[in-house]
Amino acid sequence: MTTAKDIMHPGAQWIPAHETLDRAAQLMRERDVGALPIADAKERLAGILTDRDIVVGCVAMGHDPAETTAGEMAHGTPRWIDANADVDQVLYEMQSHQIRRLPVIEDKRLVGMISEADLAQHLTEGQRASWMEQVYAHG
């Protein structure tokens, strides 16, 4: 059985909710990622911050990324997957919520992220096609 831990990108790092978006952008550049999980004060998942969130939700709205926090950008219910979950559960979670990145949690700790690139590397062609159809579906 292939698990979330088998296909994830290990070493994901939280961005604390109180951290500013300019610092988040620097961290994304340093780690060469386009998204960071947001942690609340108790290191619980509060959301996911993407590079697009910073540009569209902050800069394009005329806000200062040096004064806007990651927590201010956290909206909705954060989704995650247990490290031992089967890849079919990963696909279901991402498809049913139309999300492209999924934090992987083990023993209540962030251990990795699953992104489109991870799926492209580890799924069969049929699995990839089905996933893309569901996630990118309009309607």
Side-chain angles (χ1 to χ4, degrees), residues 14 21 26 30-31 35 42 44 49 58 73 83-84 114-115 129 131 134:
W14 296 108
L21 297 186
Q26 292 165 1
E30 290 167 11
R31 298 190 59 83
K42 295 181 181 180
R44 292 178 302 197
L49 178 67
C58 179
M73 301 302 289
N84 295 315
I114 297 173
S115 68
W131 178 82
Q134 293 295 318

Side-chain angles (χ1 to χ4, degrees), residues 36-80:
L36 296 169
I38 303 168
D40 68 12
K42 295 181 181 180
E43 290 197 358
R44 292 178 302 197
L45 184 63
I48 302 250
L49 178 67
T50 67
D51 48 7
R52 187 175 193 281
D53 292 333
I54 295 171
V55 172
V56 175
C58 179
V59 176
M61 299 297 288
H63 302 291
D64 183 353
E67 295 183 10
T68 305
T69 66
E72 292 174 70
M73 301 302 289
H75 303 289
T77 302
R79 309 307 307 179
W80 58 273

Side-chain angles (χ1 to χ4, degrees), residues 18 22 31 39 49 55 64 84 87 93 101-102 105 126 128-129 131:
H18 68 270
D22 62 339
R31 298 190 59 83
L49 178 67
V55 172
D64 183 353
N84 295 315
V87 74
E93 186 70 18
R101 297 170 181 97
L102 189 62
I105 307 292
R128 283 192 305 267
W131 178 82

Side-chain angles (χ1 to χ4, degrees), residues 74-128:
H75 303 289
T77 302
R79 309 307 307 179
W80 58 273
I81 196 82
D82 185 87
N84 295 315
D86 182 81
V87 74
D88 289 334
Q89 292 172 290
V90 170
L91 293 174
Y92 176 79
E93 186 70 18
M94 293 176 85
Q95 289 169 346
S96 64
H97 297 285
Q98 293 190 313
I99 55 177
R100 299 176 186 161
R101 297 170 181 97
L102 189 62
V104 180
I105 307 292
E106 184 175 53
D107 297 325
K108 299 184 182 180
R109 290 182 28 246
L110 176 70
V111 293
M113 288 277 281
I114 297 173
S115 68
E116 294 169 302
D118 299 311
L119 295 179
Q121 290 177 343
H122 294 93
L123 299 180
T124 67
E125 188 173 325
Q127 287 173 314
R128 283 192 305 267

